[in-house]
Amino acid sequence: MSFKAVVLGAAGGIGQPLSLLLKANPLVKELALYDIVNTPGVAADLSHISTPAKVVGYLPPDDGLKKALAGADIVVIPAGVPRKPGVTYDDLFKINAGIVRDLATGIATAAPKAAVLVISNPVNSTVPIVVEVFKKHGVFDPKKIFGVTTLDVVRAQTFIAEVLGDLSLSSSINVPVVGGHSGVTIVPLFSQSSHPLPSGYATSDLEALTKRVQFGGDEVVKAKDGAGSATLSMAYAGAEFAEKVLRALKGEKGIVAPTFVHLTSDKSGGETVKKEIGKEIDYFSAPVELGPQGVAKILSLGKLTDSEKALIDAAVPELVINIEKGVSFIAPSKL
């Protein structure tokens, strides 16, 4: 069983390495690449790689978006402009919101049953944009729309491995990161890590480690010095999450990953999360069990330390503002 994957924004800094990783995935039999420029070249380049996936590139003319999406099982959206020094997630929203809205409209009309993985920032706002577009078209299935927060998990794994002094552990470390996907909305639950931090690890060090996960993107933006944002690590994280979704679509059981979802995707699990955070909220990134229909189950946040509860309390008001921003971009009358 293999699948058709579509990358929207395939010629960009995330799109190209993400497309490369999807071409290398044996579960992908067909890979459609769409962008406003350069996709035929990217597709030609990737098509020479000796893996089974057939690669085709599409541009906007001649219904390119519709053709790219036809028969899609999974659609990954890294489209939009990257962050640069001094650019906030708020600044990004002004540009990327319109891009995501237009692509979501294409998916809602051409591939409404596909699993949709949203990478375009700010995820806390772009996922609600996709949802509202799907609602307008009468095709909204909360189980099929995901905000990709995997990079926060990947960073947490790596940074824990660094603290433990053994990077070879990083891929086997299981640490939930919940909340949202920007700044203070990112809440790493280090107390639940499969590989605990050293006993006696100082509170100040834990706070610094938390901030490094929350603002890891800034670290990369600064280091690239105006030449872009976290594109390669984001492509890796996006491909990791896409593979989990594909394995679940194929019927593999027990696959769990944190992802930013509409909490009605699993009503009882969603209600549990709302009780745990003490707020009536429509979206949250929580550990999610994936299945053939997308979201199979939203899992509890588990036992939280007092400091983790405080981080969630700080995350929620910001998250509410981000979510409302996305909703009101498409459906202003709702607010």
Side-chain angles (χ1 to χ4, degrees):
M1 197 174 182
S2 50
F3 302 95
K4 176 174 178 178
V6 182
V7 180
L8 303 182
I14 299 169
Q16 289 201 41
L18 174 63
S19 299
L20 169 63
L21 292 166
L22 290 172
K23 168 69 171 130
N25 189 319
L27 291 173
V28 178
K29 68 171 178 189
E30 193 177 339
L31 182 58
L33 310 181
Y34 175 85
D35 211 322
I36 54 172
V37 290
N38 300 338
T39 34
V42 175
D45 193 357
L46 290 176
S47 71
H48 292 187
I49 294 171
S50 53
T51 58
K54 180 188 175 189
V55 190
V56 184
Y58 298 90
L59 293 167
D62 304 318
D63 272 341
L65 180 58
K66 188 177 176 184
K67 287 175 183 168
L69 290 166
D73 297 295
I74 183 170
V75 181
V76 192
I77 313 177
V81 296
R83 284 178 68 203
K84 290 183 178 171
V87 173
T88 65
Y89 278 99
D90 209 40
D91 298 328
L92 278 190
F93 177 82
K94 291 173 184 144
I95 302 166
N96 289 352
I99 295 170
V100 170
R101 174 198 59 209
D102 295 346
L103 294 173
T105 302
I107 304 165
T109 51
K113 294 193 183 306
V116 181
L117 282 55
V118 183
I119 290 173
S120 308
N121 272 319
V123 164
N124 298 351
S125 303
T126 53
V127 170
I129 286 172
V130 174
V131 166
E132 292 303 322
V133 168
F134 272 54
K135 283 180 180 174
K136 275 195 162 182
H137 286 81
V139 293
F140 172 53
D141 177 355
K143 294 182 179 295
K144 288 290 186 75
I145 298 174
F146 305 90
V148 181
T149 60
T150 313
L151 182 51
D152 305 324
V153 177
V154 166
R155 285 182 174 134
Q157 291 173 308
T158 304
F159 301 162
I160 290 172
E162 285 177 359
V163 169
L164 297 176
D166 186 358
L167 275 174
S168 70
L169 294 172
S170 53
S171 61
S172 61
I173 291 171
N174 183 7
V175 54
V177 183
V178 302
H181 183 57
S182 68
V184 297
T185 69
I186 298 167
V187 181
L189 303 180
F190 289 120
S191 70
Q192 296 180 29
S193 173
S194 58
H195 296 61
L197 291 163
S199 59
Y201 193 67
T203 303
S204 59
D205 290 338
L206 182 62
E207 287 170 359
L209 191 64
T210 298
K211 277 204 162 51
R212 195 175 174 213
V213 173
Q214 290 177 325
F215 298 97
D218 293 356
E219 195 177 305
V220 177
V221 168
K222 190 178 174 188
K224 288 194 173 181
D225 198 19
S229 58
T231 51
L232 301 173
S233 51
M234 184 61 249
Y236 171 82
E240 283 283 292
F241 185 66
E243 179 172 12
K244 286 179 176 171
V245 171
L246 289 170
R247 281 163 48 204
L249 289 177
K250 196 179 175 188
E252 190 177 324
K253 301 270 192 242
I255 298 172
V256 174
T259 173
F260 188 71
V261 292
H262 198 283
L263 293 178
T264 60
S265 54
D266 167 27
K267 286 201 172 77
S268 66
E271 288 303 320
T272 298
V273 168
K274 287 181 199 178
K275 284 194 184 86
E276 287 173 326
I277 63 177
K279 177 76 177 174
E280 191 60 36
I281 197 169
D282 289 335
Y283 299 83
F284 203 76
S285 184
V288 167
E289 186 177 331
L290 301 167
Q293 302 308 313
V295 174
K297 195 182 289 185
I298 298 172
L299 306 181
S300 159
L301 301 183
K303 191 167 187 274
L304 305 173
T305 65
D306 288 344
S307 63
E308 287 165 352
K309 285 176 188 164
L311 288 170
I312 285 176
D313 288 345
V316 169
E318 181 77 15
L319 205 45
V320 168
I321 291 166
N322 296 162
I323 292 164
E324 287 180 351
K325 198 171 196 177
V327 171
S328 63
F329 185 75
I330 302 298
S333 59
K334 284 199 169 183
L335 301 177

